[in-house]
Amino acid sequence: MAAGNRLAAGGRIDRSKPLHFTFNGKAYTGFQGDTLASALLANGVRLTARSFKYHRPRGIVGAGVEEPATLVELMGDDASGNRPATTVPLTEGLAAKAVNCWPSLAFDIGAVNQLASRFIPAGFYYKTFKWPNWHLYERPIRKAAGLAAAPSEPPSKGHYETRYGHCDVLIAGAGPAGLMAALTVARAGLRVMIADEGCEAGGSLLSRRLTIGGTDAMEWVDATFAELNAMPNVTHLQNATVWGYREHNYLMVTERAPANPSLLERTWRVRAGHVITATGAIERGLVFGNNDRPGVMLASAVQAYVNRYGVAPGKRAVIFTNNNSAYAVAADLAAAGVEVRAIADSRDAVPDEARAIVPGIEIMAGKCVTEAQGTRQIRSVAVAAKTGGSARILSCDLLAMSGGWNPTVHLWSQSRSTLRYDDPLATFLPDTPAQPISAAGAANGALTLQDALRSGAEAAAQIAGTTPPDIPDAPDLPYAMEPLWRVETAKGKAFLDLQNDVTVDDIHLALREGYSNVEHVKRYTTGGMGFDQGKTGNINIIGTVALAQGLAMDQVGTTTFRAPYTPVSFGAIGGLREETVALPYRHTPITEWNLAQGAFMYEAGARWRRPGYFPRAGEGLQEATNRECRAVRFGVGVYDGSPLGTFELKGRDVGRFLDYLYSNVMSSLKPGNGRYGLMLSDDGLIMDDGVCFRLDDHRWIVSTSTGHADAINGHMEEMLQTRFPEWNVFITTVTSQWNNATICGPKAREVMAALGTDIDLSPEAFPFMTVRDGTVAGLPARVVRVSFTGELSFEVNVAPRHMRALWAKVMEAGAPFGILPVGSEASHVLRVEKGFLSLGHEVDGTVDAYDLGMGWAMSKKKSDYLGKRAVQIRREGAAPRRELVGVIPEPDRQIPEGAPLTPGGRREKTEGFVTACVWSVVHERWVGLALLEGGHARHGETAHVRLKGGEVIPVRVTAPCHYDPDGDKLRS
């Protein structure tokens, strides 16, 4: 061995690239390819953590996401908390520290809990800290049993991102089974997405010395991926964990450190036709006295550090096992120069094939480790017969334990698929799928390499409808085991769940307290909770419950495996969706035209991308918005109204259905005519406003706001299915079947005439709030006379395939009249000038139609409509109401939206707030809208706006309509 615990050769690290890092303020050196855990072990650091509840010394136990003991807090640019040290890639300048210890890791005052452990068993705080109030004790208890603090600042470099993906087959895991499955379905031409949580592909092959087809197993991995990555139908995500499985094969995948250096993490939301879980298996520990001491590790983790990282976690080792797999670990340790004192095997008969690979190593059959001795580091172990008797003390600094293997069934269970207990493997295996899902490899109980390859090929071939390919020869030690749920003669605390400090005694206490169901045991003791989700201890807990109750394992059952499978950052969950990323944004046919004109794009409701404004050279938002507003008020403009929600309703009962949904009457409309209306919720508040047109006796068109289109669709369906299932009404979403160019302004009729149409455009033949079908610019169209700007408007609706052509012809025909494209900012200004309400501004969830001066929209003829009674009850109250008014700032200046209104500027009372304030191109000054207590009766008064810093601005209260109050312009 080289200096420290680093082996002189071997591993997949790059020894030509040293990396410097600190742990608890002390400087160390590792190599490219190390994890923080492997680098700490290479530097001889054994004490790395303190336990959650008792603050006992802990060391590194695992080598991957199963690590239950060593959690660290990263500092600096990498700031994050509660990261398993085994999953932190080593980088230059990495700074980390242990969590849950004070004042230091070596001397932790919280360790006093060990002296009082008898008095603080599982659930003690539920019984103890009741009087006078739990909240008096909550903070100190949480601090004493706490984890790392959340970062106080967002990352200083990079950002998070969200993408959406679709595939025929998603394969979780790129070990031998996953790669063989991917190769099989990809060759069949299916779209394949491979997501593997490791920093490189290979799974268990990275940590073992095996061959496939007569060559090193990793050479087979490299050749397989070379073929897969050359296929256009394959998407390969490395360092990516599938952590959530939802209905209809909707999966959440978080990719860490993507290829783009500006990205921190990327979360994929994937819809897959079929899922193959090739997630491998996790080794479980063994339950004996002080099995949590630093130096007690999973045998598979020891094998990984030796073979993958070139690190010997100790110099003198003892193996404790109940199965064959630990014998390969002993052989690898011996080959690396580590002294293996003995193998303690709880089985009375050890198979010959296991004995054959460890010649010269003492095998103690029928023996168990009863106690690990040492405090901050293991010094020796006591080995005795299973039934007790005198113990033999073996000095060592490393104990590699293997209690068998648990298939990683977390995703399978999240899909709501069932599990079955398998006696020969003493574990739970996938059983009946609830969705299009298959399990392969170790995740399905195929625990030898040959079986894993065959399992992956067969699962994939069944999906692809092909014959499984030939499987290369892959020799491996046969797997055989006998379960050992706990050592009966253990001395000292025997831990089942290292992350949550759950012992055998805690389980027995829960059973005595009457918590016999395994789910109740989990909650009482916290065993298998948190982000561990039972990875290493779950089966041992179930086995302990089964032994205590005299039940079979399948009678006890499993607890629920919940998402996320591993921790996920909030940044990754809420990642950005913008710019050149493959996005789920919804675009209209003229999005490219808008971008070519330099439009600044906004995100509108339901993920639409639409232009906010069209700046010219040297213009900012205000200048561009003013120019677009002038075009509409004094000339002509055009905007893309395609994202507005549009629904076609058919049936004999549509009229009375709409009368129930809207506060005003719709059933009296004649074909070809429309009406503006309000939809209310059960509590009488406004859900949405929009227009409704009748096409013929049994066909209607309902238009809604962009942001509420999906909600209104769901609302209508719910009303129809739950309250009026017998009514003859059919709802069809046609938002994306119609696109529209809305031509608006005093010159709109001239532009329509220049386009050419067979529709009579005269005010008499085509009045306001009517609809006509015909041709416009030679294209079949439906034209609606409706206005959201307060000006003469023609909404020209065409099929999406005609929208680009229509838009081009509108711009050409409108050029002599100075037509301009109009964005959302100008539309907002024009609406405020007219006093038109906006959802989220004037409609804020507290006011009703009467408050907004729209009592005329509340029918007095109808006996009932949705929300009518709620409005009546609310208005019978004596509390003052905030009502919609216009406000004119004096002096002339902009007022921020949301600014509070107070009488006389005094601070003791707020009587409303400003909902909008815009520059009016008509009045050439700032005008606004507000909700003001008793506002309808206060026109002409002066209210006061209070700004940050104590500044007070007087505003004149007016009617909310600042332009064309009689509506002559829009009726034209």
Side-chain angles (χ1 to χ4, degrees), residues 50 55 99-105 107-111:
R50 289 283 176 165
H55 292 252
V99 303
N100 199 36
C101 56
W102 185 85
S104 69
L105 183 59
F107 178 72
D108 181 12
I109 289 179

Side-chain angles (χ1 to χ4, degrees), residues 764-789:
E764 298 77 19
F766 195 180
F768 181 60
M769 291 302 289
T770 58
V771 58
R772 301 289 184 264
D773 288 342
T775 61
V776 176
L779 302 171
R782 173 174 291 161
V783 184
V784 183
R785 279 286 316 275
V786 64
S787 177
F788 297 103
T789 63

Side-chain angles (χ1 to χ4, degrees), residues 863-885:
S863 60
D864 192 22
Y865 54 83
L866 186 64
K868 179 178 181 178
R869 179 59 179 152
V871 173
Q872 292 174 342
I873 293 172
R874 184 178 291 107
R875 300 206 67 81
E876 288 172 358
R881 305 287 304 173
R882 291 182 175 179
E883 299 170 337
L884 182 65
V885 296

Side-chain angles (χ1 to χ4, degrees), residues 587-595 639-640 740 803-804 807:
H587 301 278
T588 74
I590 62 165
T591 296
E592 290 184 5
W593 186 93
N594 290 328
L595 292 171
Y639 66 85
D640 181 7
N740 85 67
M803 182 62 178
R804 287 290 297 270
W807 192 266

Side-chain angles (χ1 to χ4, degrees), residues 29-42:
T29 302
F31 294 111
Q32 184 76 39
D34 266 324
T35 63
L36 176 60
S38 66
L40 288 173
L41 287 172

Side-chain angles (χ1 to χ4, degrees), residues 53-191:
K53 179 177 177 181
Y54 298 119
H55 292 252
R56 288 168 65 97
R58 291 279 168 84
I60 292 163
V61 176
V65 297
E66 78 282 357
E67 171 59 38
T70 301
L71 305 180
V72 298
E73 179 178 352
L74 303 185
M75 297 170 286
D77 292 339
D78 302 309
S80 62
N82 306 322
R83 298 277 300 276
T86 53
T87 65
V88 178
L90 196 66
T91 57
E92 179 62 31
L94 180 76
K97 66 178 181 179
V99 303
N100 199 36
C101 56
W102 185 85
S104 69
L105 183 59
F107 178 72
D108 181 12
I109 289 179
V112 71
N113 286 357
Q114 297 176 57
L115 301 177
S117 61
R118 182 179 178 182
F119 304 103
I120 51 176
F124 78 96
Y125 35 83
Y126 299 130
K127 306 172 184 177
T128 308
F129 300 106
K130 292 182 177 181
W131 185 90
N133 190 305
W134 152 252
H135 295 292
L136 292 176
Y137 312 100
E138 181 180 12
R139 180 169 292 184
I141 288 177
R142 294 195 183 281
K143 186 174 182 180
L147 298 172
S152 58
E153 299 291 337
S156 60
K157 299 178 181 178
H159 65 276
Y160 299 91
E161 179 182 285
T162 292
R163 285 195 182 186
Y164 289 74
H166 297 81
C167 59
D168 296 315
V169 182
L170 182 140
I171 300 172
L179 290 178
M180 183 56 75
L183 204 60
T184 304
V185 290
R187 286 172 175 172
L190 300 180
R191 294 177 301 160

Side-chain angles (χ1 to χ4, degrees), residues 685-894:
L685 298 177
I686 298 172
M687 284 186 66
D688 196 64
D689 69 327
V691 293
C692 177
F693 285 87
R694 188 171 195 165
L695 302 180
D696 57 37
D697 288 344
H698 302 305
R699 291 175 62 228
W700 306 66
I701 288 289
V702 169
S703 179
T704 72
S705 64
T706 300
H708 283 195
D710 290 344
I712 295 301
N713 185 24
H715 173 63
M716 291 191 295
E717 288 286 1
E718 180 184 1
M719 293 297 104
L720 189 60
Q721 295 178 31
T722 61
R723 301 195 186 187
F724 311 111
E726 73 281 2
W727 284 8
N728 182 246
V729 178
F730 299 93
I731 303 170
T732 304
T733 302
V734 294
T735 302
S736 298
Q737 292 177 249
W738 290 97
N739 289 164
N740 85 67
T742 300
I743 304 168
C744 49
K747 299 180 181 178
R749 191 172 278 115
E750 289 101 312
V751 174
M752 285 291 293
L755 279 168
T757 177
D758 58 1
I759 300 172
D760 187 345
L761 300 174
S762 66
E764 298 77 19
F766 195 180
F768 181 60
M769 291 302 289
T770 58
V771 58
R772 301 289 184 264
D773 288 342
T775 61
V776 176
L779 302 171
R782 173 174 291 161
V783 184
V784 183
R785 279 286 316 275
V786 64
S787 177
F788 297 103
T789 63
E791 299 292 342
L792 169 66
S793 299
F794 294 90
E795 184 183 285
V796 184
N797 294 270
V798 296
R801 63 182 177 274
H802 295 147
M803 182 62 178
R804 287 290 297 270
L806 172 67
W807 192 266
K809 291 180 180 181
V810 168
M811 297 307 295
E812 181 182 356
F817 304 96
I819 195 168
L820 290 180
V822 176
S824 300
E825 290 288 348
S827 295
H828 174 64
V829 172
L830 299 170
R831 291 174 69 95
V832 172
E833 284 184 326
K834 277 294 295 178
F836 290 164
L837 61 88
S838 292
L839 301 175
H841 288 258
E842 291 71 45
V843 182
D844 70 338
T846 66
V847 296
D848 60 26
Y850 294 99
D851 299 325
L852 298 172
M854 301 179 69
W856 52 268
M858 308 290 283
S859 174
K860 297 178 177 59
K861 298 179 180 179
K862 293 191 296 184
S863 60
D864 192 22
Y865 54 83
L866 186 64
K868 179 178 181 178
R869 179 59 179 152
V871 173
Q872 292 174 342
I873 293 172
R874 184 178 291 107
R875 300 206 67 81
E876 288 172 358
R881 305 287 304 173
R882 291 182 175 179
E883 299 170 337
L884 182 65
V885 296
V887 290
I888 306 294
E890 295 176 340
D892 184 18
R893 58 174 290 182
Q894 186 178 19

Side-chain angles (χ1 to χ4, degrees), residues 889-891 893-896 899-909 911 942-955:
E890 295 176 340
R893 58 174 290 182
Q894 186 178 19
I895 299 172
L901 293 167
T902 57
R906 296 190 302 274
R907 291 178 176 272
E908 67 272 16
K909 177 186 177 184
E911 56 181 3
T942 297
H944 297 81
V945 175
R946 187 177 74 240
L947 299 182
K948 189 175 182 180
E951 183 181 4
V952 175
I953 299 176
V955 294

